[in-house]
Amino acid sequence: MLELRPPRPEHTRALESLARRLWPLSTHPGGLGWQQATEDMPEPMVVAERDGAVVAWAGITGANAISAHTRITLEGASADPEAGAALLRWALEQSEGEVRLPVFHGDGALSDLAEEYGFVPEGTPETWMCRAAGEEEPTLPEGYTIRPVREGEEDARVECHRAAWKPATLPWPENVGPVDPALNSRFCREYYDNTRRSLLYDGELDLVVQAPDGSLAACCVVWFDARSATSEVEPLGVVPDHRRRGLAAALVLEACTLTFRRGGDRVFINTAPNDLYPAPARTYATVGYEVSERGHLYVRRG
């Protein structure tokens, strides 16, 4: 029996496990773990359960500063087309106007459903950046060190992330107007504790860069999935006083090394070149990360 229901706390691990089974026809399970830990999933959202087991899910992201159109995320149609159809009907009932639906390459069940319900493929690809894992030797300025976060550093780790992601201090291009200096990152100790409970979290892959004075200058989480032999780096941030010293590039190279040593072969970063925020993609490209197509957008006109 198939049922749609709002997500509950006990669905957290089930959704991460589902992503592992579906990959690459899904969000990377590490990235999904991060989204859930930081309460950044689409809203509203429902999960599809068949005989009590989670088989698919869908969520809706309304128009915002990044996109002028409603976006539906739907994962699991490839494994359970009936659940996919039920979820797409639910999502369309909640949506108005032009709607966009990303479809991963190879997800024929979802592309067929999209066309059945009036969507047409759009030329815009869905992209991120990736490169092969391998033994790398990151270059750091004198006195800086990459290492895993240590027990007892939890609060410092949270503050490092918050400082790195304060909106007004991010390296926006000149065409972006002033950002309210009062805005702060939503990241907090609760979100960090949630992160550490995620399915793929490994404390040895929760990396920080220690500055010469002992403070934390940068941080990232490498989410390695042995099932697919892939890692996703999400998120990565550098504290403003330590930017332009190669720390971000060093971290994503270290991610390649650590992934390779665990038997992995690819590392992904959920970013791509864009005019609104170009700095990350430019940095990763300097150390061999290339733009990779994940799928295409399908569009349903209002």
Side-chain angles (χ1 to χ4, degrees):
M1 180 178 179
L2 183 70
E3 295 182 279
L4 304 188
R5 61 178 76 249
R8 300 191 298 260
E10 58 265 31
H11 287 133
T12 299
R13 186 56 53 88
L15 288 167
E16 292 171 290
S17 297
L18 176 66
R20 292 192 79 191
R21 297 193 300 273
L22 293 174
W23 171 266
L25 305 184
S26 70
T27 304
H28 190 277
L32 184 69
W34 170 255
Q35 283 183 267
Q36 293 192 115
T38 56
E39 299 181 353
D40 195 32
M41 296 292 284
E43 179 63 36
M45 173 182 165
V46 295
V47 300
E49 290 184 341
R50 185 178 294 283
D51 300 324
V54 175
V55 296
W57 67 274
I60 302 169
T61 304
N64 52 43
I66 298 175
S67 173
H69 308 288
T70 297
R71 182 183 179 100
I72 296 171
T73 300
L74 197 166
E75 299 186 2
S78 55
D80 194 320
E82 182 188 2
L87 288 167
L88 187 55
R89 288 194 297 270
W90 167 83
L92 291 174
E93 289 171 358
Q94 319 300 314
S95 306
E96 296 181 355
E98 183 172 307
V99 181
R100 299 189 174 189
L101 173 72
V103 178
F104 292 111
H105 287 319
D107 195 346
L110 185 55
S111 61
D112 289 347
L113 268 176
E115 293 176 6
E116 180 182 343
Y117 281 86
F119 287 81
V120 296
E122 188 185 58
T124 306
E126 290 281 281
T127 60
W128 61 356
M129 301 186 77
C130 70
R131 62 156 288 172
E135 290 280 359
E136 305 290 343
E137 295 184 5
T139 301
L140 288 165
E142 184 177 357
Y144 287 83
T145 305
I146 297 177
R147 60 170 175 80
V149 68
R150 295 169 180 159
E151 287 297 324
E153 285 187 320
E154 292 83 4
D155 290 339
R157 172 68 173 77
V158 170
E159 289 309 310
C160 178
H161 177 103
R162 286 175 57 82
W165 286 96
K166 184 174 174 62
T169 67
L170 291 172
W172 303 106
E174 293 183 359
N175 61 319
V176 174
V179 178
D180 185 351
L183 293 176
N184 286 302
S185 164
R186 296 187 305 112
F187 196 60
C188 59
R189 179 61 187 269
E190 178 184 358
Y191 286 176
Y192 186 48
D193 290 343
N194 292 343
T195 299
R196 297 196 299 165
R197 288 191 290 267
S198 297
L199 178 64
L200 295 186
Y201 178 81
D202 179 344
E204 292 298 309
L205 299 178
D206 186 352
L207 303 180
V208 296
V209 178
Q210 181 175 304
D213 64 1
S215 66
L216 302 186
C219 55
C220 76
V221 179
V222 182
W223 303 92
F224 175 62
D225 178 23
R227 183 185 179 110
S228 63
T230 64
S231 290
E232 180 177 357
V233 178
E234 176 67 26
L236 185 153
V238 180
V239 174
D241 289 346
H242 301 276
R243 289 180 182 150
R244 299 185 181 277
R245 302 183 189 186
L247 305 188
L251 280 170
V252 293
L253 285 178
E254 183 71 3
C256 290
T257 297
L258 295 174
T259 298
F260 181 76
R261 290 176 180 172
R262 284 162 171 75
D265 55 26
R266 304 293 293 177
V267 180
F268 296 90
I269 304 174
N270 192 17
T271 192
N274 69 79
D275 295 333
L276 180 64
Y277 189 50
R282 289 175 182 170
T283 296
Y284 305 142
T286 65
V287 289
Y289 282 80
E290 298 178 340
V291 176
S292 174
E293 284 194 12
R294 307 176 67 187
H296 281 83
L297 283 175
Y298 278 63
V299 179
R300 185 175 188 263
R301 310 294 179 190

